[in-house]
PDB file of all heavy atoms in Angstrom:
ATOM      1  N   VAL A 816      10.001  -7.489   5.838  1.00  0.00           N
ATOM      2  CA  VAL A 816       9.114  -6.865   6.823  1.00  0.00           C
ATOM      3  C   VAL A 816       8.280  -5.764   6.174  1.00  0.00           C
ATOM      4  O   VAL A 816       8.803  -4.796   5.629  1.00  0.00           O
ATOM      5  CB  VAL A 816       9.909  -6.280   8.006  1.00  0.00           C
ATOM      6  CG1 VAL A 816       8.988  -5.475   8.926  1.00  0.00           C
ATOM      7  CG2 VAL A 816      10.585  -7.394   8.793  1.00  0.00           C
ATOM      8  N   ILE A 817       6.968  -5.947   6.264  1.00  0.00           N
ATOM      9  CA  ILE A 817       6.013  -4.912   5.858  1.00  0.00           C
ATOM     10  C   ILE A 817       5.351  -4.381   7.125  1.00  0.00           C
ATOM     11  O   ILE A 817       4.776  -5.153   7.899  1.00  0.00           O
ATOM     12  CB  ILE A 817       4.931  -5.479   4.917  1.00  0.00           C
ATOM     13  CG1 ILE A 817       5.555  -6.079   3.655  1.00  0.00           C
ATOM     14  CG2 ILE A 817       3.923  -4.381   4.555  1.00  0.00           C
ATOM     15  CD1 ILE A 817       4.544  -6.805   2.768  1.00  0.00           C
ATOM     16  N   VAL A 818       5.446  -3.093   7.358  1.00  0.00           N
ATOM     17  CA  VAL A 818       4.726  -2.485   8.478  1.00  0.00           C
ATOM     18  C   VAL A 818       3.455  -1.852   7.918  1.00  0.00           C
ATOM     19  O   VAL A 818       3.513  -0.994   7.036  1.00  0.00           O
ATOM     20  CB  VAL A 818       5.580  -1.450   9.218  1.00  0.00           C
ATOM     21  CG1 VAL A 818       4.718  -0.665  10.204  1.00  0.00           C
ATOM     22  CG2 VAL A 818       6.711  -2.141   9.961  1.00  0.00           C
ATOM     23  N   GLN A 819       2.335  -2.315   8.426  1.00  0.00           N
ATOM     24  CA  GLN A 819       1.032  -1.851   7.945  1.00  0.00           C
ATOM     25  C   GLN A 819       0.411  -0.852   8.915  1.00  0.00           C
ATOM     26  O   GLN A 819       0.333  -1.095  10.117  1.00  0.00           O
ATOM     27  CB  GLN A 819       0.068  -3.030   7.760  1.00  0.00           C
ATOM     28  CG  GLN A 819      -1.310  -2.621   7.255  1.00  0.00           C
ATOM     29  CD  GLN A 819      -2.335  -3.742   7.329  1.00  0.00           C
ATOM     30  OE1 GLN A 819      -2.048  -4.816   7.855  1.00  0.00           O
ATOM     31  NE2 GLN A 819      -3.524  -3.506   6.813  1.00  0.00           N
ATOM     32  N   LEU A 820      -0.022   0.267   8.350  1.00  0.00           N
ATOM     33  CA  LEU A 820      -0.872   1.225   9.063  1.00  0.00           C
ATOM     34  C   LEU A 820      -2.225   1.231   8.349  1.00  0.00           C
ATOM     35  O   LEU A 820      -2.287   1.026   7.134  1.00  0.00           O
ATOM     36  CB  LEU A 820      -0.279   2.628   9.034  1.00  0.00           C
ATOM     37  CG  LEU A 820       1.131   2.808   9.584  1.00  0.00           C
ATOM     38  CD1 LEU A 820       1.592   4.256   9.393  1.00  0.00           C
ATOM     39  CD2 LEU A 820       1.199   2.418  11.046  1.00  0.00           C
ATOM     40  N   SER A 821      -3.278   1.479   9.090  1.00  0.00           N
ATOM     41  CA  SER A 821      -4.594   1.532   8.464  1.00  0.00           C
ATOM     42  C   SER A 821      -5.512   2.419   9.281  1.00  0.00           C
ATOM     43  O   SER A 821      -5.362   2.541  10.504  1.00  0.00           O
ATOM     44  CB  SER A 821      -5.187   0.123   8.348  1.00  0.00           C
ATOM     45  OG  SER A 821      -6.308   0.127   7.477  1.00  0.00           O
ATOM     46  N   ASP A 822      -6.453   3.058   8.596  1.00  0.00           N
ATOM     47  CA  ASP A 822      -7.500   3.813   9.278  1.00  0.00           C
ATOM     48  C   ASP A 822      -6.919   4.816  10.280  1.00  0.00           C
ATOM     49  O   ASP A 822      -7.293   4.841  11.450  1.00  0.00           O
ATOM     50  CB  ASP A 822      -8.472   2.848   9.965  1.00  0.00           C
ATOM     51  CG  ASP A 822      -9.109   1.890   8.975  1.00  0.00           C
ATOM     52  OD1 ASP A 822     -10.146   2.254   8.397  1.00  0.00           O
ATOM     53  OD2 ASP A 822      -8.557   0.802   8.765  1.00  0.00           O
ATOM     54  N   LEU A 823      -6.027   5.645   9.799  1.00  0.00           N
ATOM     55  CA  LEU A 823      -5.446   6.690  10.639  1.00  0.00           C
ATOM     56  C   LEU A 823      -6.481   7.754  10.988  1.00  0.00           C
ATOM     57  O   LEU A 823      -6.452   8.331  12.076  1.00  0.00           O
ATOM     58  CB  LEU A 823      -4.262   7.339   9.921  1.00  0.00           C
ATOM     59  CG  LEU A 823      -3.014   6.457   9.778  1.00  0.00           C
ATOM     60  CD1 LEU A 823      -2.094   7.026   8.708  1.00  0.00           C
ATOM     61  CD2 LEU A 823      -2.287   6.351  11.108  1.00  0.00           C
ATOM     62  N   HIS A 824      -7.373   8.057  10.057  1.00  0.00           N
ATOM     63  CA  HIS A 824      -8.461   9.009  10.275  1.00  0.00           C
ATOM     64  C   HIS A 824      -7.976  10.340  10.847  1.00  0.00           C
ATOM     65  O   HIS A 824      -8.518  10.855  11.844  1.00  0.00           O
ATOM     66  CB  HIS A 824      -9.532   8.407  11.185  1.00  0.00           C
ATOM     67  CG  HIS A 824     -10.343   7.330  10.524  1.00  0.00           C
ATOM     68  ND1 HIS A 824     -11.280   7.603   9.550  1.00  0.00           N
ATOM     69  CD2 HIS A 824     -10.330   5.983  10.675  1.00  0.00           C
ATOM     70  CE1 HIS A 824     -11.818   6.465   9.137  1.00  0.00           C
ATOM     71  NE2 HIS A 824     -11.260   5.462   9.793  1.00  0.00           N
ATOM     72  N   ILE A 825      -6.951  10.912  10.204  1.00  0.00           N
ATOM     73  CA  ILE A 825      -6.523  12.255  10.577  1.00  0.00           C
ATOM     74  C   ILE A 825      -7.701  13.197  10.338  1.00  0.00           C
ATOM     75  O   ILE A 825      -8.247  13.252   9.235  1.00  0.00           O
ATOM     76  CB  ILE A 825      -5.313  12.700   9.734  1.00  0.00           C
ATOM     77  CG1 ILE A 825      -4.206  11.647   9.760  1.00  0.00           C
ATOM     78  CG2 ILE A 825      -4.800  14.051  10.214  1.00  0.00           C
ATOM     79  CD1 ILE A 825      -3.730  11.276  11.120  1.00  0.00           C
ATOM     80  N   GLY A 826      -8.127  13.902  11.378  1.00  0.00           N
ATOM     81  CA  GLY A 826      -9.319  14.731  11.230  1.00  0.00           C
ATOM     82  C   GLY A 826      -9.607  15.548  12.472  1.00  0.00           C
ATOM     83  O   GLY A 826      -8.692  16.159  13.045  1.00  0.00           O
ATOM     84  N   PRO A 827     -10.858  15.549  12.937  1.00  0.00           N
ATOM     85  CA  PRO A 827     -11.246  16.440  14.043  1.00  0.00           C
ATOM     86  C   PRO A 827     -10.469  16.236  15.335  1.00  0.00           C
ATOM     87  O   PRO A 827     -10.168  17.208  16.035  1.00  0.00           O
ATOM     88  CB  PRO A 827     -12.736  16.113  14.241  1.00  0.00           C
ATOM     89  CG  PRO A 827     -13.191  15.641  12.909  1.00  0.00           C
ATOM     90  CD  PRO A 827     -12.032  14.874  12.346  1.00  0.00           C
ATOM     91  N   THR A 828     -10.143  14.985  15.713  1.00  0.00           N
ATOM     92  CA  THR A 828      -9.471  14.766  17.001  1.00  0.00           C
ATOM     93  C   THR A 828      -8.113  14.079  16.870  1.00  0.00           C
ATOM     94  O   THR A 828      -7.415  13.952  17.875  1.00  0.00           O
ATOM     95  CB  THR A 828     -10.358  13.929  17.948  1.00  0.00           C
ATOM     96  OG1 THR A 828     -10.609  12.640  17.375  1.00  0.00           O
ATOM     97  CG2 THR A 828     -11.685  14.638  18.214  1.00  0.00           C
ATOM     98  N   ILE A 829      -7.742  13.627  15.690  1.00  0.00           N
ATOM     99  CA  ILE A 829      -6.401  13.056  15.474  1.00  0.00           C
ATOM    100  C   ILE A 829      -5.620  14.057  14.635  1.00  0.00           C
ATOM    101  O   ILE A 829      -5.974  14.324  13.477  1.00  0.00           O
ATOM    102  CB  ILE A 829      -6.464  11.684  14.786  1.00  0.00           C
ATOM    103  CG1 ILE A 829      -7.250  10.701  15.640  1.00  0.00           C
ATOM    104  CG2 ILE A 829      -5.055  11.149  14.536  1.00  0.00           C
ATOM    105  CD1 ILE A 829      -7.371   9.305  15.037  1.00  0.00           C
ATOM    106  N   LYS A 830      -4.563  14.598  15.230  1.00  0.00           N
ATOM    107  CA  LYS A 830      -3.831  15.683  14.596  1.00  0.00           C
ATOM    108  C   LYS A 830      -2.354  15.316  14.418  1.00  0.00           C
ATOM    109  O   LYS A 830      -1.931  14.194  14.650  1.00  0.00           O
ATOM    110  CB  LYS A 830      -3.979  16.958  15.430  1.00  0.00           C
ATOM    111  CG  LYS A 830      -5.417  17.466  15.549  1.00  0.00           C
ATOM    112  CD  LYS A 830      -5.977  17.889  14.206  1.00  0.00           C
ATOM    113  CE  LYS A 830      -7.361  18.500  14.319  1.00  0.00           C
ATOM    114  NZ  LYS A 830      -7.913  18.879  13.006  1.00  0.00           N
ATOM    115  N   ARG A 831      -1.597  16.313  14.018  1.00  0.00           N
ATOM    116  CA  ARG A 831      -0.200  16.133  13.653  1.00  0.00           C
ATOM    117  C   ARG A 831       0.623  15.479  14.773  1.00  0.00           C
ATOM    118  O   ARG A 831       1.424  14.576  14.509  1.00  0.00           O
ATOM    119  CB  ARG A 831       0.399  17.504  13.300  1.00  0.00           C
ATOM    120  CG  ARG A 831       1.844  17.457  12.840  1.00  0.00           C
ATOM    121  CD  ARG A 831       2.408  18.859  12.655  1.00  0.00           C
ATOM    122  NE  ARG A 831       3.769  18.795  12.136  1.00  0.00           N
ATOM    123  CZ  ARG A 831       4.114  19.129  10.905  1.00  0.00           C
ATOM    124  NH1 ARG A 831       3.189  19.573  10.061  1.00  0.00           N
ATOM    125  NH2 ARG A 831       5.363  19.044  10.495  1.00  0.00           N
ATOM    126  N   GLY A 832       0.444  15.921  16.016  1.00  0.00           N
ATOM    127  CA  GLY A 832       1.262  15.400  17.108  1.00  0.00           C
ATOM    128  C   GLY A 832       1.081  13.912  17.312  1.00  0.00           C
ATOM    129  O   GLY A 832       2.060  13.172  17.496  1.00  0.00           O
ATOM    130  N   HIS A 833      -0.166  13.450  17.280  1.00  0.00           N
ATOM    131  CA  HIS A 833      -0.431  12.012  17.453  1.00  0.00           C
ATOM    132  C   HIS A 833       0.159  11.223  16.294  1.00  0.00           C
ATOM    133  O   HIS A 833       0.770  10.167  16.493  1.00  0.00           O
ATOM    134  CB  HIS A 833      -1.940  11.785  17.548  1.00  0.00           C
ATOM    135  CG  HIS A 833      -2.316  10.379  17.891  1.00  0.00           C
ATOM    136  ND1 HIS A 833      -2.030   9.804  19.102  1.00  0.00           N
ATOM    137  CD2 HIS A 833      -2.967   9.419  17.168  1.00  0.00           C
ATOM    138  CE1 HIS A 833      -2.484   8.563  19.125  1.00  0.00           C
ATOM    139  NE2 HIS A 833      -3.049   8.309  17.960  1.00  0.00           N
ATOM    140  N   LEU A 834       0.002  11.745  15.076  1.00  0.00           N
ATOM    141  CA  LEU A 834       0.556  11.051  13.905  1.00  0.00           C
ATOM    142  C   LEU A 834       2.078  10.997  13.968  1.00  0.00           C
ATOM    143  O   LEU A 834       2.686   9.980  13.609  1.00  0.00           O
ATOM    144  CB  LEU A 834       0.107  11.759  12.628  1.00  0.00           C
ATOM    145  CG  LEU A 834       0.620  11.155  11.321  1.00  0.00           C
ATOM    146  CD1 LEU A 834       0.198   9.701  11.168  1.00  0.00           C
ATOM    147  CD2 LEU A 834       0.143  11.981  10.124  1.00  0.00           C
ATOM    148  N   GLN A 835       2.714  12.061  14.450  1.00  0.00           N
ATOM    149  CA  GLN A 835       4.169  12.073  14.544  1.00  0.00           C
ATOM    150  C   GLN A 835       4.670  10.965  15.460  1.00  0.00           C
ATOM    151  O   GLN A 835       5.679  10.314  15.174  1.00  0.00           O
ATOM    152  CB  GLN A 835       4.650  13.434  15.046  1.00  0.00           C
ATOM    153  CG  GLN A 835       6.165  13.580  15.116  1.00  0.00           C
ATOM    154  CD  GLN A 835       6.846  13.386  13.770  1.00  0.00           C
ATOM    155  OE1 GLN A 835       6.407  13.929  12.761  1.00  0.00           O
ATOM    156  NE2 GLN A 835       7.909  12.590  13.736  1.00  0.00           N
ATOM    157  N   ARG A 836       3.974  10.724  16.558  1.00  0.00           N
ATOM    158  CA  ARG A 836       4.380   9.648  17.469  1.00  0.00           C
ATOM    159  C   ARG A 836       4.241   8.280  16.807  1.00  0.00           C
ATOM    160  O   ARG A 836       5.071   7.385  17.031  1.00  0.00           O
ATOM    161  CB  ARG A 836       3.542   9.720  18.749  1.00  0.00           C
ATOM    162  CG  ARG A 836       3.844  10.937  19.615  1.00  0.00           C
ATOM    163  CD  ARG A 836       3.179  10.858  20.979  1.00  0.00           C
ATOM    164  NE  ARG A 836       1.728  10.957  20.875  1.00  0.00           N
ATOM    165  CZ  ARG A 836       1.057  12.098  20.899  1.00  0.00           C
ATOM    166  NH1 ARG A 836       1.716  13.255  20.981  1.00  0.00           N
ATOM    167  NH2 ARG A 836      -0.255  12.108  20.837  1.00  0.00           N
ATOM    168  N   ILE A 837       3.225   8.126  15.982  1.00  0.00           N
ATOM    169  CA  ILE A 837       3.045   6.869  15.241  1.00  0.00           C
ATOM    170  C   ILE A 837       4.179   6.686  14.249  1.00  0.00           C
ATOM    171  O   ILE A 837       4.755   5.594  14.127  1.00  0.00           O
ATOM    172  CB  ILE A 837       1.681   6.860  14.532  1.00  0.00           C
ATOM    173  CG1 ILE A 837       0.553   6.779  15.564  1.00  0.00           C
ATOM    174  CG2 ILE A 837       1.586   5.704  13.543  1.00  0.00           C
ATOM    175  CD1 ILE A 837      -0.830   6.994  14.986  1.00  0.00           C
ATOM    176  N   VAL A 838       4.523   7.740  13.537  1.00  0.00           N
ATOM    177  CA  VAL A 838       5.609   7.670  12.551  1.00  0.00           C
ATOM    178  C   VAL A 838       6.923   7.294  13.227  1.00  0.00           C
ATOM    179  O   VAL A 838       7.697   6.467  12.717  1.00  0.00           O
ATOM    180  CB  VAL A 838       5.736   9.017  11.800  1.00  0.00           C
ATOM    181  CG1 VAL A 838       7.030   9.068  10.982  1.00  0.00           C
ATOM    182  CG2 VAL A 838       4.526   9.227  10.895  1.00  0.00           C
ATOM    183  N   GLU A 839       7.193   7.867  14.380  1.00  0.00           N
ATOM    184  CA  GLU A 839       8.424   7.541  15.104  1.00  0.00           C
ATOM    185  C   GLU A 839       8.454   6.076  15.510  1.00  0.00           C
ATOM    186  O   GLU A 839       9.509   5.420  15.433  1.00  0.00           O
ATOM    187  CB  GLU A 839       8.553   8.448  16.329  1.00  0.00           C
ATOM    188  CG  GLU A 839       8.836   9.901  15.974  1.00  0.00           C
ATOM    189  CD  GLU A 839       8.704  10.834  17.162  1.00  0.00           C
ATOM    190  OE1 GLU A 839       8.389  10.339  18.281  1.00  0.00           O
ATOM    191  OE2 GLU A 839       8.902  12.055  16.989  1.00  0.00           O
ATOM    192  N   ARG A 840       7.310   5.541  15.952  1.00  0.00           N
ATOM    193  CA  ARG A 840       7.248   4.127  16.319  1.00  0.00           C
ATOM    194  C   ARG A 840       7.499   3.240  15.086  1.00  0.00           C
ATOM    195  O   ARG A 840       8.210   2.242  15.168  1.00  0.00           O
ATOM    196  CB  ARG A 840       5.877   3.817  16.936  1.00  0.00           C
ATOM    197  CG  ARG A 840       5.620   2.352  17.271  1.00  0.00           C
ATOM    198  CD  ARG A 840       6.513   1.812  18.385  1.00  0.00           C
ATOM    199  NE  ARG A 840       6.362   2.528  19.627  1.00  0.00           N
ATOM    200  CZ  ARG A 840       5.445   2.229  20.554  1.00  0.00           C
ATOM    201  NH1 ARG A 840       4.579   1.240  20.350  1.00  0.00           N
ATOM    202  NH2 ARG A 840       5.389   2.922  21.669  1.00  0.00           N
ATOM    203  N   VAL A 841       6.925   3.603  13.946  1.00  0.00           N
ATOM    204  CA  VAL A 841       7.124   2.824  12.719  1.00  0.00           C
ATOM    205  C   VAL A 841       8.586   2.836  12.304  1.00  0.00           C
ATOM    206  O   VAL A 841       9.174   1.795  11.989  1.00  0.00           O
ATOM    207  CB  VAL A 841       6.235   3.367  11.580  1.00  0.00           C
ATOM    208  CG1 VAL A 841       6.606   2.709  10.251  1.00  0.00           C
ATOM    209  CG2 VAL A 841       4.765   3.126  11.889  1.00  0.00           C
ATOM    210  N   ASN A 842       9.208   3.998  12.308  1.00  0.00           N
ATOM    211  CA  ASN A 842      10.604   4.099  11.878  1.00  0.00           C
ATOM    212  C   ASN A 842      11.535   3.299  12.773  1.00  0.00           C
ATOM    213  O   ASN A 842      12.550   2.762  12.313  1.00  0.00           O
ATOM    214  CB  ASN A 842      11.031   5.567  11.838  1.00  0.00           C
ATOM    215  CG  ASN A 842      10.378   6.331  10.694  1.00  0.00           C
ATOM    216  OD1 ASN A 842       9.848   5.740   9.759  1.00  0.00           O
ATOM    217  ND2 ASN A 842      10.401   7.652  10.772  1.00  0.00           N
ATOM    218  N   ALA A 843      11.190   3.188  14.052  1.00  0.00           N
ATOM    219  CA  ALA A 843      12.012   2.402  14.978  1.00  0.00           C
ATOM    220  C   ALA A 843      11.986   0.912  14.637  1.00  0.00           C
ATOM    221  O   ALA A 843      12.893   0.172  15.013  1.00  0.00           O
ATOM    222  CB  ALA A 843      11.532   2.612  16.414  1.00  0.00           C
ATOM    223  N   LEU A 844      10.968   0.480  13.888  1.00  0.00           N
ATOM    224  CA  LEU A 844      10.862  -0.932  13.499  1.00  0.00           C
ATOM    225  C   LEU A 844      11.728  -1.261  12.287  1.00  0.00           C
ATOM    226  O   LEU A 844      11.854  -2.431  11.934  1.00  0.00           O
ATOM    227  CB  LEU A 844       9.392  -1.274  13.197  1.00  0.00           C
ATOM    228  CG  LEU A 844       8.410  -1.096  14.364  1.00  0.00           C
ATOM    229  CD1 LEU A 844       6.985  -1.392  13.909  1.00  0.00           C
ATOM    230  CD2 LEU A 844       8.784  -1.995  15.529  1.00  0.00           C
ATOM    231  N   ARG A 845      12.265  -0.252  11.612  1.00  0.00           N
ATOM    232  CA  ARG A 845      13.151  -0.416  10.449  1.00  0.00           C
ATOM    233  C   ARG A 845      12.525  -1.339   9.400  1.00  0.00           C
ATOM    234  O   ARG A 845      13.077  -2.381   9.030  1.00  0.00           O
ATOM    235  CB  ARG A 845      14.516  -0.954  10.883  1.00  0.00           C
ATOM    236  CG  ARG A 845      15.212  -0.061  11.899  1.00  0.00           C
ATOM    237  CD  ARG A 845      16.463  -0.711  12.467  1.00  0.00           C
ATOM    238  NE  ARG A 845      17.453  -0.956  11.435  1.00  0.00           N
ATOM    239  CZ  ARG A 845      18.379  -0.077  11.059  1.00  0.00           C
ATOM    240  NH1 ARG A 845      18.440   1.105  11.649  1.00  0.00           N
ATOM    241  NH2 ARG A 845      19.247  -0.376  10.122  1.00  0.00           N
ATOM    242  N   PRO A 846      11.362  -0.981   8.880  1.00  0.00           N
ATOM    243  CA  PRO A 846      10.673  -1.853   7.918  1.00  0.00           C
ATOM    244  C   PRO A 846      11.332  -1.850   6.542  1.00  0.00           C
ATOM    245  O   PRO A 846      12.004  -0.887   6.156  1.00  0.00           O
ATOM    246  CB  PRO A 846       9.277  -1.250   7.851  1.00  0.00           C
ATOM    247  CG  PRO A 846       9.495   0.202   8.145  1.00  0.00           C
ATOM    248  CD  PRO A 846      10.597   0.245   9.160  1.00  0.00           C
ATOM    249  N   ASP A 847      11.099  -2.927   5.815  1.00  0.00           N
ATOM    250  CA  ASP A 847      11.497  -2.943   4.406  1.00  0.00           C
ATOM    251  C   ASP A 847      10.513  -2.140   3.567  1.00  0.00           C
ATOM    252  O   ASP A 847      10.893  -1.537   2.560  1.00  0.00           O
ATOM    253  CB  ASP A 847      11.556  -4.390   3.892  1.00  0.00           C
ATOM    254  CG  ASP A 847      12.671  -5.181   4.553  1.00  0.00           C
ATOM    255  OD1 ASP A 847      13.819  -4.701   4.536  1.00  0.00           O
ATOM    256  OD2 ASP A 847      12.390  -6.268   5.093  1.00  0.00           O
ATOM    257  N   LEU A 848       9.247  -2.128   3.991  1.00  0.00           N
ATOM    258  CA  LEU A 848       8.209  -1.435   3.239  1.00  0.00           C
ATOM    259  C   LEU A 848       7.095  -1.042   4.204  1.00  0.00           C
ATOM    260  O   LEU A 848       6.782  -1.788   5.134  1.00  0.00           O
ATOM    261  CB  LEU A 848       7.672  -2.362   2.135  1.00  0.00           C
ATOM    262  CG  LEU A 848       6.609  -1.849   1.170  1.00  0.00           C
ATOM    263  CD1 LEU A 848       6.812  -2.511  -0.201  1.00  0.00           C
ATOM    264  CD2 LEU A 848       5.192  -2.169   1.668  1.00  0.00           C
ATOM    265  N   VAL A 849       6.509   0.134   3.996  1.00  0.00           N
ATOM    266  CA  VAL A 849       5.341   0.559   4.763  1.00  0.00           C
ATOM    267  C   VAL A 849       4.128   0.506   3.847  1.00  0.00           C
ATOM    268  O   VAL A 849       4.168   0.999   2.714  1.00  0.00           O
ATOM    269  CB  VAL A 849       5.511   1.981   5.327  1.00  0.00           C
ATOM    270  CG1 VAL A 849       4.204   2.473   5.946  1.00  0.00           C
ATOM    271  CG2 VAL A 849       6.623   2.020   6.361  1.00  0.00           C
ATOM    272  N   ALA A 850       3.041  -0.114   4.337  1.00  0.00           N
ATOM    273  CA  ALA A 850       1.790  -0.200   3.587  1.00  0.00           C
ATOM    274  C   ALA A 850       0.695   0.480   4.389  1.00  0.00           C
ATOM    275  O   ALA A 850       0.476   0.144   5.557  1.00  0.00           O
ATOM    276  CB  ALA A 850       1.427  -1.658   3.330  1.00  0.00           C
ATOM    277  N   ILE A 851      -0.002   1.440   3.776  1.00  0.00           N
ATOM    278  CA  ILE A 851      -1.114   2.131   4.438  1.00  0.00           C
ATOM    279  C   ILE A 851      -2.383   1.770   3.681  1.00  0.00           C
ATOM    280  O   ILE A 851      -2.530   2.117   2.506  1.00  0.00           O
ATOM    281  CB  ILE A 851      -0.914   3.653   4.472  1.00  0.00           C
ATOM    282  CG1 ILE A 851       0.465   4.014   5.059  1.00  0.00           C
ATOM    283  CG2 ILE A 851      -2.017   4.312   5.289  1.00  0.00           C
ATOM    284  CD1 ILE A 851       0.745   5.499   5.119  1.00  0.00           C
TER     285      ILE A 851
END
Side-chain angles (χ1 to χ4, degrees):
V816 173
I817 301 173
V818 170
Q819 180 191 5
L820 303 176
S821 193
D822 301 273
L823 290 163
H824 288 288
I825 309 304
T828 62
I829 300 180
K830 297 296 185 181
R831 183 186 183 109
H833 187 66
L834 179 59
Q835 183 59 46
R836 291 190 292 271
I837 291 170
V838 168
E839 290 169 0
R840 175 66 60 87
V841 171
N842 289 344
L844 299 177
R845 302 172 62 88
D847 293 307
L848 182 147
V849 172
I851 308 180

